[in-house]
Each structure stands twice: as structure tokens, then as C-alpha cells.
């Protein structure tokens, strides 16, 4: 069996639109994201079209990454594109923070993924618990206007959409014990020790 004659092949190629066969290029995205390997685990960072961070989530595997993208698409916009360059400043800040090179505030962020219950909890966290400090779930419940909801506050922090950026790792049990953390207890311990060492 032989292929098409050269003259026939040329005729076929002449009618082929190369530009139309390329994958589409979307110049803009409502949400840009990047997956970033850090010293405490693999994280997905995302920002809106203004460059404001909306997510900093631990995504140890493909399933967790997919779940994060579904969450972004449902709560912010379905126009979610992988654009690492849009997150360069956030990735640099995260790397500097994890290396102990900065205590500066994180890049601009907003609580687009937070629930109505989470918003006052996370706002109180940022306002009341500084670098190298610790608070209990009960204290944070009191500061956020829900003094009887320490357990619910713990659940809210467990689903923090801006891990490390909003430092829920600084919240511990009433006895000082380390309890649940989205990135795992080893990551929480590492972050607390990092901050304690940087303050010394």
C-alpha cells in the first residue's frame, strides 16, 4: 500500500489552516494558579484577575489539586488557568517566609473562598495573632464574637483557604498541644519552630 501521490499531498496541505489547528490562547483569566513545591509540602496558589491572592492550599496529590480547582471555579470563576508567572510575587514571598528571610505581611489577599463563618474567624486571626505568637481556639472564638464555638473555629481553620498567608498554624489547643492542620502536624510544628527561631 502506498501513500498519497506528492501532488495530491501538496493539494491537501494547501488547504490546511495551520493557525486554526493551534490550541486556543486565552489572554486573560479570572483566576490564575500555580502549583509550588515548598519545604512544608506541595501548595496551590491562586490569584484573581487583579493579582490578589484568593488561595494558598496544600495539594499533596492530583486529587487534592483537582478539588482545589473545582472550589475556585465554583466560588470565584470557571475561567481558571494555570499561569505561574502571575503568582511570581506570592511564590517569592512564600519561599522567603519559609526560609526565615522575611516576616513581612503576605501579598494582598481576599477571602473569596471563605464561608460567612470563616470570615470573622480569619480576620480576627490576622488582627490578633502576630509572627511567632500563639493563640488557642477558645481565644480565637472569643475574639471573633463566638465564645462558645471553639470546636467550630477549629473546623473553620482546618479549611482555611489561605494557609500560611493567614497563619492558622499559630492556633493551638488549650493545653498548648498541636492539633489538626491542613498541611499535617509536621508542617505545623515546622512553621511554629521556624517563627520561634526567627524571633530569637
Amino acid at each position: 500500500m502506498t501513500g498519497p501521490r506528492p501532488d495530491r499531498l501538496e493539494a491537501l496541505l494547501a488547504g490546511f489552516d495551520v493557525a486554526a489547528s493551534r490550541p486556543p490562547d486565552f489572554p486573560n483569566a479570572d483566576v490564575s494558579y500555580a502549583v509550588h513545591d515548598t519545604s512544608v509540602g506541595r501548595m496551590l496558589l491562586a490569584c484573581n484577575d487583579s493579582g490578589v491572592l484568593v488561595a494558598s492550599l496544600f495539594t499533596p496529590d492530583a486529587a487534592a489539586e483537582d478539588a482545589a480547582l473545582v472550589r475556585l471555579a465554583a466560588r470565584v470563576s470557571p475561567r481558571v488557568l494555570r499561569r505561574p508567572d502571575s503568582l511570581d510575587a506570592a511564590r517569592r514571598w512564600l519561599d522567603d517566609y519559609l526560609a526565615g528571610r522575611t516576616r513581612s505581611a503576605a501579598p494582598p489577599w481576599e477571602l473569596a473562598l471563605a464561608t460567612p463563618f470563616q470570615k470573622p474567624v480569619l480576620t480576627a486571626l490576622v488582627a490578633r495573632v502576630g509572627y511567632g505568637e500563639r493563640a488557642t481556639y477558645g481565644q480565637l472564638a472569643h475574639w471573633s464574637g463566638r465564645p462558645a464555638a471553639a470546636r467550630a473555629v477549629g473546623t473553620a481553620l482546618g479549611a482555611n483557604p489561605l494557609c500560611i498567608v493567614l497563619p492558622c498554624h499559630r492556633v493551638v489547643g488549650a493545653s498548648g498541644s498541636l492539633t489538626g492542620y491542613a498541611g499535617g502536624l509536621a508542617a505545623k510544628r515546622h512553621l511554629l519552630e521556624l517563627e520561634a527561631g526567627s524571633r530569637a
Side-chain angles (χ1 to χ4, degrees):
M1 182 174 178
T2 61
R5 296 194 323 269
D7 57 339
R8 176 67 179 147
L9 184 58
E10 286 179 18
L12 289 170
L13 290 175
F16 183 69
D17 186 348
V18 175
S21 69
R22 294 189 183 114
D25 179 27
F26 299 100
N28 299 305
D30 292 338
V31 181
S32 297
Y33 80 96
V35 176
H36 192 53
D37 289 316
T38 76
S39 58
V40 291
R42 185 173 179 267
M43 300 189 74
L44 184 144
L45 306 176
C47 65
N48 64 20
D49 59 356
S50 299
V52 175
L53 279 176
V54 294
S56 175
L57 301 164
F58 287 98
T59 51
D61 53 35
E65 181 179 336
D66 289 345
L69 295 175
V70 168
R71 190 175 171 192
L72 285 164
R75 298 294 299 275
V76 184
S77 168
R79 287 169 45 88
V80 180
L81 294 176
R82 188 168 189 151
R83 290 181 178 262
D85 56 328
S86 299
L87 281 304
D88 282 349
R91 290 189 293 162
R92 279 194 301 272
W93 176 85
L94 186 57
D95 288 342
D96 286 345
Y97 166 81
L98 291 171
R101 292 190 295 263
T102 187
R103 299 184 199 176
S104 67
W109 50 268
E110 70 175 48
L111 294 172
L113 294 183
T115 66
F117 183 88
Q118 284 178 304
K119 288 180 179 179
V121 172
L122 293 169
T123 300
L125 168 68
V126 174
R128 301 294 293 263
V129 191
Y131 189 98
E133 298 176 352
R134 298 187 190 188
T136 67
Y137 294 100
Q139 286 175 311
L140 191 55
H142 176 74
W143 294 332
S144 60
R146 295 170 171 84
R151 187 179 296 275
V153 163
T155 300
L157 293 182
N160 177 5
L162 287 159
C163 291
I164 301 180
V165 173
L166 306 187
C168 57
H169 59 272
R170 297 175 188 162
V171 184
V172 298
S175 65
S177 60
L178 304 190
T179 53
Y181 184 61
L185 291 185
K188 184 168 186 169
R189 185 175 296 107
H190 175 84
L191 294 168
L192 291 171
E193 290 174 354
L194 169 72
E195 292 187 359
S198 296
R199 283 176 65 92

